[in-house]
Amino acid sequence: MNEHSPVREIKGIGEKTEMLFQKMGVYTAGDLLRYYPRTYDIYEAPVPVSELEEGTVAAVEGCVFGSVQVSPNRKLQTVSALIRDLTGTLKVLWFRMPFLRNTLRSGSRIIVRGRVVNKRGGLVMEHPEIFQPVEKYQEKLNTMQPVYPLTAGLSNLTVMKAVREALEHIHLQRETIPESIRQRYHLCEYNYALRGIHFPADKTMYMYARKRLVFEEFLEFLLAIRQMKEEKETSVNGCRMEKKQEVDDFLSQLPFELTNAQKKVWKEIRKDMQGDYTMSRLVQGDVGSGKTIVAVLALLEAACNGYQGAMMAPTEVLARQHYQSVCEMFEKYGIPFRTELLTGSMKAKERREAYERIETGESQIIIGTHALIQEKVNYRNLGLVITDEQHRFGVRQREALAKKGNMPHILVMSATPIPRTLAIIIYGDLDLSVIDELPKDRLPIKNCVVDTGYRETAYRFMKKQVEEGRQCYVICPMVEESEAMEAENVIDYSTMLSERMGPEVTVGYLHGKMKQTQKDEIMEKFAQNQIQILVSTTVVEVGINVPNATVMMVENAERFGLAQLHQLRGRVGRGAFQSYCIFMTASRAKETKKRLDILNHSNDGFYIAGEDLKLRGPGDLFGIRQSGLMEFKLGDIFQDAGILQMAAEAASSEEIREFPVYGRADRDNIHVL
Ligand code: ADP
Ligand code: MG
């Protein structure tokens, strides 16, 4: 077995498991080794019942007290028991494990470990792991257990076993970092790093493993950027465009005037496209600053010049939204170009027809997801490529789209709040434009951080907003274990909320497990105000634009990164109405309050990200990532700014230039073990 062997060849993986792995993007043994844990579970010593804190994961040692009950509810069969120690009694619930009734004996000693939640005013432990006899807990005490990203049917244990098996049987020979650089920056060997990231013996091992892998990730990325920059510097503008009057006419018909910041950025883009060299420009602007219209202007100018323009969005919902708003605008202002939508969920026939219109040039503006860079898509004369919400895409995808044309202009749109100094390292190949101004009609969003006792008040508030004609988002508690559980959660929550709101209010829901057509339908209804309250997972996080929505309520806000919360908040305050953001938190920890308070006092994404970092400090090993900023698997440009700096230094060193792996022009090989 080697890194390229299909996962199927790993002992214990059958056809069914292989399919589940494939769903998660794991095809080969090498993929599996790079399927890093999402976090680690540290098994700490049991705590007395009286000291349990809501919202935490804890272990409790005690006796099963009284009889074990099975609820008659068929939909979600629940087993409940009481565990008692010297300090108190704790209610414990298990889902879908009716057989526990026969295995848990009254009076027997037990250790349970799980999440403690508040149910109807009392603390309850949900679905804990059971250790019986209690000595079994000793084996796990203080260990770091990897927690992998999962999907329904794929258990953490399955992944652990497969990784262990792969680590044991694959002989790894790769070393991609020159010895001298490893020594200079105290980076461990690749083999050690892989073991350490999956099964760290302790925190030190984990730290070294992670440092090495993050360094490598950054290094690879920076080298790719450097290469793009070198290519660009020599690239003469092959898609030279002229200023078109039609674009200015279109602009003058819009219901609003561009902000000064938008005007400035549009001017820069226009100048680039007319200039001597191919454009590579990053447009950075906080959520709601109006990046889309700038992109549309660029697409229109390209089309007027006889070129095709493509815009790639990170999700289908977002791609569709862009597509619809462009179609509407073009229809309204009599723009004669055909816009095409291309997404993965389209039917084969639809897609074939779209391919054909793209190939013949019948469609001039193409909007879509990753589907835009599929092999089968041939563009007639692609002159402009835009990627929206860049942090979801990699350099490689950006490049793949650019390769579809003959050196098209490149425009990248991002709401990621990065300080300028970092942006220069990370987007070294791009010129930078900043939209640092919100449209005039915007009122600052009002924020509050509240505990769960405020929930009823929040519901009343939302109802009032709906009565005034507005709409609301509720982001459901995050369930990290699996998408299926998350879906269930969203459905239950929306049922509850619907009852609470009464028949006049329509509550809809959205989650990652839904089919694309269902998601689109719901988003469409929400956009039309046929749904007033949308309960959702973070799938609404990126880019969605419904200006009539004025309330964003986030449950379990403490579990999100501040940058992500800021993105969520950006879903409201997009129109002229006063908007509100309610961060609900179950955690009474002081730290939580302090972190969330940063959001409470600022609506400035740049400031927020910086403060979050300061507060958590570099020692926060398992802190919440700032949501998927950039494409890094492990690295976090904020948290690991120090490593990024080192990698930037290394990237321009002589040793790297001479090192065989990177010396090769073919960068794609770097990813292969
Ligand atoms: P983002 O920068 O987050 O992508 P969008 O481009 O989606 O923001 O714009 C948010 C909203 O602001 C949209 O409804 C858009 O029509 C509107 N908008 C954009 N520019 C202006 C402007 N200059 N004046 C008023 N509204 C604007
Ligand atoms: Mg946007």
Side-chain angles (χ1 to χ4, degrees):
M1 185 165 59
N2 63 35
E3 305 84 32
H4 306 287
S5 314
V7 277
R8 183 71 191 273
E9 284 177 25
I10 295 169
K11 211 176 99 199
I13 297 188
E15 200 177 331
K16 216 178 111 215
T17 313
E18 179 181 36
M19 268 165 58
L20 292 169
F21 269 122
Q22 288 180 352
K23 203 171 146 198
M24 304 301 280
V26 175
Y27 294 88
T28 64
D31 293 340
L32 182 65
L33 293 177
R34 284 184 298 276
Y35 193 65
Y36 302 134
R38 180 166 66 67
T39 180
Y40 301 82
D41 213 358
I42 304 179
Y43 283 66
E44 280 161 2
V47 296
V49 169
S50 62
E51 284 174 26
L52 286 174
E53 265 191 52
E54 182 182 346
T56 59
V57 171
V60 162
E61 177 168 2
C63 286
V64 179
F65 180 69
S67 64
V68 177
Q69 312 279 335
V70 180
S71 84
N73 183 345
R74 286 248 288 303
K75 200 173 128 231
L76 184 65
Q77 222 172 28
T78 314
V79 173
S80 68
L82 296 175
I83 311 271
R84 185 176 242 195
D85 71 4
L86 291 173
T87 66
T89 309
L90 175 71
K91 185 168 176 183
V92 182
L93 297 176
W94 287 274
F95 307 117
R96 298 199 184 81
M97 295 173 84
F99 52 87
L100 282 178
R101 179 172 45 182
N102 306 322
T103 53
L104 294 178
R105 303 224 175 284
S106 176
S108 63
R109 279 206 88 66
I110 187 171
I111 291 182
V112 286
R113 180 174 181 280
R115 186 171 292 281
V116 181
V117 298
N118 190 325
K119 276 220 165 134
R120 293 188 197 93
L123 291 184
V124 174
M125 186 179 280
E126 275 188 348
H127 210 68
E129 205 179 332
I130 299 172
F131 298 86
Q132 214 174 16
V134 294
E135 286 68 34
K136 276 197 176 161
Y137 196 72
Q138 280 301 325
E139 291 162 23
K140 284 211 168 173
L141 192 61
N142 292 327
T143 58
M144 289 175 69
Q145 304 286 324
V147 179
Y148 291 95
L150 301 173
T151 182
L154 186 66
S155 76
N156 201 53
L157 197 64
T158 309
V159 183
M160 272 170 76
K161 276 188 183 152
V163 174
R164 234 184 250 289
E165 201 47 45
L167 279 174
E168 201 158 303
H169 290 103
I170 295 178
H171 183 55
L172 295 164
Q173 287 177 323
R174 170 181 105 142
E175 181 50 88
T176 52
I177 304 182
E179 177 81 29
S180 59
I181 288 192
R182 281 206 291 111
Q183 295 201 347
R184 186 173 321 143
Y185 300 107
H186 305 286
L187 303 169
C188 65
E189 273 180 309
Y190 185 65
N191 286 290
Y192 179 86
L194 261 195
R195 288 190 167 77
I197 201 75
H198 286 289
F199 303 109
D202 52 34
K203 283 189 190 172
T204 313
M205 182 175 188
Y206 163 77
M207 266 169 59
Y208 274 109
R210 183 175 182 283
K211 179 179 171 190
R212 143 84 208 216
L213 295 170
V214 169
F215 182 94
E216 185 172 333
E217 243 178 16
F218 286 157
L219 183 64
E220 234 177 67
F221 173 83
L222 293 167
L223 290 172
I225 293 261
R226 192 183 65 193
Q227 176 145 353
M228 281 172 80
K229 187 174 181 170
E230 282 166 4
E231 277 165 16
K232 178 194 120 189
E233 272 163 5
T234 55
S235 86
V236 174
N237 188 351
C239 310
R240 204 182 268 260
M241 306 199 186
E242 287 168 27
K243 196 169 173 173
K244 291 287 179 185
Q245 186 58 39
E246 291 98 313
V247 182
D248 293 299
D249 293 345
F250 169 76
L251 195 51
S252 65
Q253 283 177 292
L254 287 180
F256 51 78
E257 198 191 341
L258 293 189
T259 61
N260 286 331
Q262 284 170 316
K263 281 183 191 159
K264 178 191 77 196
V265 172
W266 169 227
K267 212 166 134 190
E268 286 167 344
I269 293 170
R270 229 176 181 181
K271 198 164 146 229
D272 282 354
M273 297 199 298
Q274 295 165 11
D276 293 337
Y277 299 100
T278 308
M279 169 171 75
S280 303
R281 184 169 288 281
L282 167 71
V283 175
Q284 223 182 63
D286 212 345
V287 280
S289 61
K291 293 181 290 292
T292 315
I293 190 67
V294 175
V296 172
L297 291 172
L299 289 169
L300 183 57
E301 181 127 296
C304 290
N305 274 282
Y307 290 102
Q308 285 177 316
M311 176 149 75
M312 183 156 73
T315 63
E316 296 221 1
V317 172
L318 197 53
R320 199 169 293 266
Q321 178 186 291
H322 284 328
Y323 169 76
Q324 275 167 356
S325 68
V326 169
C327 287
E328 272 165 34
M329 274 192 257
F330 282 13
E331 197 177 64
K332 194 161 161 201
Y333 305 117
I335 304 286
F337 299 116
R338 182 172 182 131
T339 307
E340 195 71 57
L341 178 70
L342 203 57
T343 66
S345 71
M346 278 162 66
K347 294 208 179 71
K349 181 161 171 279
E350 288 175 327
R351 207 169 331 164
R352 258 201 318 276
E353 287 167 3
Y355 286 161
E356 189 153 328
R357 285 190 295 267
I358 294 168
E359 195 154 354
T360 59
E362 195 185 334
S363 298
Q364 289 91 351
I365 291 175
I366 301 104
I367 297 177
T369 54
H370 286 89
L372 292 181
I373 50 177
Q374 294 307 304
E375 220 173 292
K376 287 188 189 133
V377 197
N378 295 307
Y379 296 84
R380 182 154 171 276
N381 57 349
L382 191 58
L384 169 68
V385 157
I386 303 179
T387 53
D388 188 22
E389 306 295 346
Q390 152 75 8
H391 61 275
R392 294 292 167 113
F393 292 118
V395 192
R396 281 184 190 79
Q397 283 147 329
R398 197 197 317 158
E399 216 175 352
L401 185 53
K403 285 214 172 100
K404 290 284 190 180
N406 185 20
M407 298 298 286
H409 297 290
I410 294 178
L411 195 59
V412 173
M413 320 284 264
S414 169
T416 309
I418 321 178
R420 214 179 171 91
T421 47
L422 265 186
I424 289 167
I425 296 181
I426 287 173
Y427 297 108
D429 61 325
L430 302 172
D431 297 318
L432 185 62
S433 290
V434 183
I435 306 186
D436 49 6
E437 180 187 2
L438 293 181
K440 277 194 294 298
D441 61 355
R442 303 289 162 75
L443 296 165
I445 299 168
K446 293 193 173 158
N447 304 296
C448 60
V449 178
V450 293
D451 59 42
T452 48
Y454 185 81
R455 202 177 270 126
E456 285 302 314
T457 318
Y459 291 160
R460 274 199 300 278
F461 181 74
M462 287 198 283
K463 185 148 191 201
K464 238 175 101 204
Q465 285 283 307
V466 171
E467 280 162 7
E468 287 172 23
R470 305 285 83 76
Q471 290 164 275
C472 314
Y473 295 98
V474 178
I475 304 302
C476 238
M478 202 143 79
V479 180
E480 290 177 330
E481 287 75 11
S482 81
E483 261 195 332
M485 262 171 84
E486 192 158 74
E488 204 166 277
N489 222 15
V490 167
I491 298 169
D492 288 351
Y493 196 108
S494 74
T495 313
M496 176 281 293
L497 196 58
S498 178
E499 277 165 23
R500 179 70 189 64
M501 289 289 153
E504 319 84 77
V505 181
T506 308
V507 178
Y509 63 83
L510 204 61
H511 59 73
K513 290 278 282 183
M514 281 159 77
K515 284 213 186 71
Q516 193 53 46
T517 47
Q518 288 175 299
K519 276 193 224 167
D520 292 339
E521 198 182 309
I522 296 291
M523 270 324 295
E524 186 61 31
K525 280 190 176 159
F526 190 62
Q528 305 294 335
N529 198 2
Q530 288 163 17
I531 288 174
Q532 285 82 42
I533 301 183
L534 184 62
V535 178
S536 172
T537 58
T538 51
V539 291
V540 294
E541 171 197 349
V542 226
I544 296 298
N545 185 40
V546 179
N548 190 45
T550 53
V551 181
M552 166 59 71
M553 170 172 158
V554 183
E555 291 273 2
N556 284 144
E558 73 279 6
R559 295 199 211 164
F560 295 86
L562 291 192
Q564 195 177 14
L565 288 175
H566 180 65
Q567 282 286 330
L568 284 169
R569 174 164 63 185
R571 296 315 105 217
V572 297
R574 298 174 83 84
F577 306 107
Q578 176 64 56
S579 291
Y580 306 86
C581 209
I582 305 168
F583 300 115
M584 189 75 65
T585 163
S587 162
R588 271 168 305 186
K590 270 212 197 84
E591 287 303 307
T592 307
K593 195 89 184 145
K594 226 165 142 189
R595 265 186 72 233
L596 292 176
D597 259 356
I598 297 174
L599 285 172
N600 208 347
H601 293 120
S602 175
N603 280 322
D604 176 347
F606 287 73
Y607 172 81
I608 289 168
E611 288 301 298
D612 194 14
L613 185 67
K614 263 195 244 161
L615 193 65
R616 290 184 299 134
D620 181 16
L621 284 188
F622 312 104
I624 308 157
R625 279 173 61 114
Q626 284 303 330
S627 86
L629 284 182
M630 315 293 302
E631 79 246 54
F632 305 113
K633 276 182 160 175
L634 287 173
D636 179 310
I637 52 166
F638 289 99
Q639 191 169 317
D640 304 314
I643 305 179
L644 182 60
Q645 194 65 49
M646 286 177 208
E649 243 174 69
S652 45
S653 68
E654 276 306 306
E655 294 114 300
I656 285 288
R657 290 205 177 258
E658 283 159 14
F659 199 65
V661 184
Y662 297 111
R664 247 181 286 148
D666 177 7
R667 272 193 319 286
D668 291 342
N669 270 350
I670 297 174
H671 255 329
V672 178
L673 272 166

